[in-house]
Amino acid sequence: MTVLVLNCGSSSIKYQLIDPDGPARLAKGIVERIGEDGGVPDHAAALRQVAAELERDCGPLAELGLAAVGHRIVHGGDRFAEPTLVDDDVERVIEQLAPLAPLHNPPGLTALRLARRELPDVPHVAVFDTAFHQTLPPVAYTYAVERDLAARYGVRRYGFHGTSVSYVSRAAAELLGRDPDDTNLVVLHLGNGASATAVRGGRSVDTSMGLTPLEGLVMGTRTGDIDPGALFYLHREAGLSVDDLDRLTNRSSGLLGLAGANDLREVHRMAKAGDQAAQLARELYCYRIRHYVGAYLAVLGRAHAIVFTAGVGENDSWVRSHSLAGLRQFGVEVDHVRNSFTSSRAQVISPDEADVAVLVVPTDEELEIARQAAGLVEAAPA
Ligand code: ADP
């Protein structure tokens, strides 16, 4: 079985050709700088380039025997809790959700439309970043604002990184030798965007990102948690418009705003050279993680493991040990020798006798999308 996975951003399309039963990639690539100088003019041209690269590497598209095309869609609102076979109605609903994710959903939708036109005989499956978090209970997803207004505009916590957290949760249970339905986890997805999720019995019960990916942890360029009053204050006193504030909180804050670099490797380099702003930035990054770990240990009551994943989580031993420092009373401890190795395989970095295991589990969102798309197509009546 072969699945084509398309992950379309505002200026790039990543693609992978995957056998969902095995992690090996049959082909992969990225078309970048869409709409920029020196790049392809638009998403249609980018998708044609994807097709050309696939044909060059793997032969005619029609002969690939594609079982499905899996599309990553960022925001599914409260309409999509599962991977979904796309028809015109589903496309329309995704379009209606665009205001919730104005930067992310429109490019995904464009790629979806074009790919359906290009490959009309292959089932297209939309896999949503928000879907895994549709199991959140009302106490976790409700904001304490006027009920009617919130309902009318869909103001609530949705959560993101769900595809990654779903994949990592299953892999973590496997590493622990436990049934996923009987495994409680705190999953820390620390990439450019970053989130914490409490998983009880394989289901998301709380997560740090909210209506948008802005809430929660300190990220590469996003503030994470901030008093909304600070934004009203900046509007009134500094004259920042709504668009200015959107840019400030999403693009020029976080590690970038604090230290001048959004990549933690660079922040570490500056901190070691004595830069105090960089030192505070990385301390604050870890402090916010510890804050959420504490909260989610309380939410879960009993956690079997804390799991680190994504670019920072998989590679940065300093962040892992600092963010969990001082939690021994809660059964959480990092073994410094185990923590010092980087591996492409899932591994345990806590001491054997620790109450709560600490794991590093490499994520694989594309494989998860391929598996979910294949699972849906196999289950669907022919
Ligand atoms: P995205 O959210 O873009 O998918 P990734 O999960 O690939 O991001 O993570 C990207 C981030 O991971 C980079 O911005 C960088 O800060 C961090 N990163 C990658 N490799 C390392 C490393 N070896 N040490 C520390 N941080 C790393």
Side-chain angles (χ1 to χ4, degrees), residues 189-193 262-265 268 310-312 315-316 365:
H189 177 112
L190 310 177
N192 233 324
N262 69 310
D263 191 315
L264 261 162
R265 287 166 290 195
H268 286 314
V312 177
N315 294 298
D316 197 320
E365 291 174 271

Side-chain angles (χ1 to χ4, degrees), residues 43-231:
H43 282 85
L47 215 58
R48 279 197 297 277
Q49 189 173 326
V50 170
E53 288 181 15
L54 279 172
E55 300 218 321
R56 182 195 64 204
D57 296 340
C58 306
L61 283 185
E63 289 166 31
L64 286 177
L66 283 181
V69 182
H71 295 265
R72 175 190 183 219
I73 304 290
V74 168
H75 216 308
D78 56 8
R79 301 291 297 274
F80 299 106
E82 302 282 346
T84 303
L85 201 57
V86 179
D87 56 19
D88 293 347
D89 287 338
V90 169
E91 253 186 34
R92 257 193 300 280
V93 178
I94 295 173
E95 188 169 21
Q96 286 160 7
L97 292 168
L100 284 170
L103 293 178
H104 294 102
N105 270 25
L109 183 64
T110 303
L112 181 57
R113 286 207 171 110
L114 292 164
R116 283 184 71 210
R117 206 177 307 152
E118 209 61 43
L119 297 165
D121 301 325
V122 182
H124 291 255
V125 178
V127 177
F128 301 89
D129 281 17
T130 49
F132 183 69
H133 301 296
Q134 280 294 301
T135 51
L136 255 56
V139 288
Y141 72 66
T142 306
Y143 291 123
V145 290
E146 275 181 29
R147 201 170 58 197
D148 296 345
L149 188 72
R152 185 154 7 114
Y153 288 96
V155 175
R156 48 158 288 178
R157 178 182 309 287
Y158 293 100
F160 299 86
H161 292 144
T163 308
S164 170
V165 178
S166 159
Y167 175 86
V168 161
S169 299
R170 227 175 315 108
E174 200 173 300
L175 181 65
L176 295 169
R178 301 185 60 89
D179 180 351
D181 293 343
D182 188 29
T183 305
N184 294 353
L185 304 166
V186 178
V187 179
L188 300 164
H189 177 112
L190 310 177
N192 233 324
S195 66
T197 299
V199 178
R200 177 182 289 129
R203 295 155 69 87
S204 176
V205 293
D206 204 352
T207 192
S208 60
M209 283 178 166
L211 174 85
T212 75
L214 192 52
E215 199 178 350
L217 303 178
V218 174
M219 312 185 205
T221 62
R222 297 189 192 120
T223 53
D225 293 338
I226 182 172
D227 176 0
L231 306 180

